Amino acid sequence: MADSSPDTTVRRPQDLLGAVPYLLGYHPGDEIVAVYLAADRRILGVAAEPLRFSAEALSEHLMLQAPAEPCAEVALIGYGPPPIRPVLTTIGRILDLFWPLHTLLWVTGSRCVCLLDSCSCQASRGMDIDPATSAVATQLTYAGMVALPSRQDLDTLIAPDLVGQAETEAAVAALAAPDAAVPGLLDDVLTTAKSGQRLTAAQLAQLALALTHRDVLETAWSAVCACMWQRDLWLDVTRRVPDRYACGPATLAAWCAWRRGEHAMAVVACRRAVREGPGSQLTRLVTSVVRAHVPAHRLRRPAAD
């Protein structure tokens, strides 16, 4: 995550299990989660992968998503039924070649078991858990972070807002010169969003049309950063523009989510971008980067702020 994640320190398995849903943005299920830790046990980053790949491919994906800051240990958590155990232990052996394993937890339902040999933590004997009641979960909730019920619920954050789409459609129809470029539009939009204001239907109509032009879309892409206000902006635009205009904003929403380390959200936004149209070269580029699991800290292009 990027600019809104408070420092979280791990002292026991309950801390890990309480933090993961809030740092991912949703409660994981049938997934492998890696938590990258600093020497002082601060959480540096979190990555999650669904169980659709082999243990070797999952290990590669998790290694690629390691944070730029030096990682001292990695905690590995597998969420799912008993067949996940051999996959989890294989990934643990692979990752342990690169970082010491802090812990290796298997979570099924409300039960957690530590699979590390010779471990004496509470989870080594198995324990009942409720991540929502942990002190870390309370801390992160107080900091304004949210954990959706599942990865699938991320779709709701970018699903069409039918009322907003109708308002934008009416504003598009009312434009005097719908094909004319509006000088300074992008700057005005970014200034409005950065000040915490929501775009009007008139602004959305102009922006929706502008983003169908390659040069405007690429200029907007160059201005995307990892700030929360940009995340809110591009998700809101994607939801409120008519479907035929959603490809460009969804591409920008995906890029912003990727810049923030929100890989699952980036995947959902890419899916929306591709679904709503053939897309541009930029859409295909962003989708390729997201699907390749390339982490944002490897970006050579200077970050926009």
Side-chain angles (χ1 to χ4, degrees):
M1 304 293 288
D3 63 345
S4 60
S5 300
D7 282 344
T8 304
T9 302
V10 170
R11 296 182 178 85
R12 52 185 186 149
Q14 291 91 331
D15 295 336
L16 275 172
L17 299 173
V20 163
Y22 293 87
L23 297 176
L24 288 177
Y26 64 92
H27 288 270
D30 294 333
E31 294 178 77
I32 300 290
V33 177
V35 183
Y36 308 96
L37 302 172
D40 59 1
R41 301 285 172 81
R42 281 181 303 109
I43 295 179
L44 302 176
V46 178
E49 289 296 326
L51 292 170
R52 293 197 299 264
F53 310 102
S54 66
E56 292 75 16
L58 288 167
S59 300
E60 181 182 0
H61 293 170
L62 294 173
M63 285 188 287
L64 280 172
Q65 295 180 69
E69 190 173 345
C71 177
E73 294 179 302
V74 63
L76 200 61
I77 310 171
Y79 294 82
I84 196 179
R85 288 189 63 162
V87 177
L88 179 62
T89 53
T90 299
I91 296 173
R93 287 196 296 269
I94 294 173
L95 294 190
D96 192 50
L97 297 173
F98 299 88
W99 306 286
L101 276 183
H102 171 72
T103 192
L104 184 66
L105 301 177
W106 170 44
V107 177
T108 179
S110 61
R111 191 76 176 163
C112 175
V113 179
C114 179
L115 302 182
L116 270 186
D117 295 334
S118 309
C119 181
S120 59
C121 74
Q122 183 180 352
S124 63
R125 300 181 298 277
M127 65 179 186
D128 293 325
I129 57 169
D130 183 358
T133 63
S134 75
V136 169
T138 302
Q139 171 197 347
L140 296 176
T141 300
Y142 183 77
M145 302 185 72
V146 176
L148 296 173
S150 70
R151 179 187 280 255
Q152 288 70 32
D153 285 289
L154 290 172
D155 288 327
T156 62
L157 297 181
I158 204 164
D161 174 351
L162 300 182
V163 174
Q165 286 184 320
E167 292 173 346
T168 306
E169 188 74 77
V172 170
L175 289 176
D179 294 328
V182 180
L185 171 64
L186 189 57
D187 287 339
D188 290 343
V189 163
L190 295 177
T191 299
T192 298
K194 191 173 184 178
S195 68
Q197 301 178 58
R198 199 182 191 199
L199 300 187
T200 65
Q203 288 175 305
L204 275 174
Q206 294 175 330
L207 182 62
L209 290 168
L211 291 177
T212 62
H213 298 282
R214 176 179 173 178
D215 56 338
V216 177
L217 180 60
E218 291 186 353
T219 299
W221 174 65
S222 298
V224 170
C225 66
C227 299
M228 188 67 178
W229 65 267
Q230 285 223 10
R231 179 188 190 270
D232 293 341
L233 167 65
W234 297 119
L235 288 177
D236 187 55
V237 173
T238 302
R239 296 193 67 213
R240 293 169 61 201
V241 299
D243 288 343
R244 65 184 183 279
Y245 298 119
C247 182
T251 299
L252 300 177
W255 189 247
C256 183
W258 175 79
R259 292 288 305 272
R260 291 175 54 80
E262 298 182 57
H263 182 261
M265 172 56 73
V267 170
V268 170
C270 284
R271 190 182 305 135
R272 177 83 196 277
V274 172
R275 184 173 69 240
E276 301 301 355
S280 62
Q281 289 182 343
L282 181 59
T283 299
R284 291 191 290 273
L285 170 64
V286 170
T287 300
S288 296
V289 169
V290 171
R291 289 178 176 172
H293 303 271
V294 180
H297 65 78
R298 296 193 180 184
L299 183 66
R300 183 173 62 86
R301 182 171 64 86
D305 290 307

